[in-house]
Amino acid sequence: QILSPVEVWLPNSENTRLLWSPLFALYRYDQRDPHHTRTSLLFDFITWRREPTRHEFHLGPIFSTETTPKTGRIAFAGGLLGVKRSSNGGWHPFWFDFSPIRDKTSSDR
């Protein structure tokens, strides 16, 4: 990460890192292991994540894509409208769906 003045003063505080670091992060790269990476630009406005079973790209609330082996989602305006791929393989339009396809039990940094 580049330009993170808060983490210098509180290096062992996980809560500080999660809450305050995005305000100062022009570029951030987080790699938990070789197959789990998350990159963000411009204060978390542009983010993308790569995992073995999931890929995500977010351009703020304007556009996002999320794919897993069985499902997918392309959304505009944070879920105002878009298309979803269900587990049977068909794509279906949606509107006013503001919930991502992400598994709620997975940890998100």
Side-chain angles (χ1 to χ4, degrees):
Q1 179 174 310
I2 301 170
L3 299 175
S4 181
V6 175
E7 288 187 47
V8 172
W9 302 108
L10 300 166
N12 298 323
S13 175
E14 183 72 14
N15 289 336
T16 300
R17 188 180 72 77
L18 293 174
L19 294 173
W20 293 100
S21 292
L23 292 175
F24 301 101
L26 296 175
Y27 172 78
R28 172 186 268 172
Y29 179 78
D30 182 23
Q31 182 175 11
R32 296 181 188 180
D33 64 48
H35 303 290
H36 291 77
T37 62
R38 182 181 185 273
T39 308
S40 69
L41 294 169
L42 302 174
F43 317 105
D44 277 354
F45 184 72
I46 301 169
T47 61
W48 59 95
R49 176 182 301 201
R50 298 264 184 223
E51 296 178 5
T53 59
R54 181 172 71 213
H55 300 290
E56 296 180 18
F57 174 79
H58 301 275
L59 180 63
I62 300 167
F63 174 77
S64 67
T65 64
E66 302 175 24
T67 58
T68 65
K70 294 185 179 183
T71 60
R73 182 175 193 253
I74 299 172
F76 296 95
L80 189 61
L81 59 100
V83 292
K84 263 189 200 180
R85 182 181 64 186
S86 60
S87 59
N88 64 8
W91 286 89
H92 307 286
F94 68 83
W95 54 88
F96 297 106
D97 181 7
F98 298 107
S99 62
I101 63 169
R102 178 180 310 153
D103 180 13
K104 299 296 183 190
T105 61
S106 69
S107 64
D108 185 22
R109 286 203 205 182

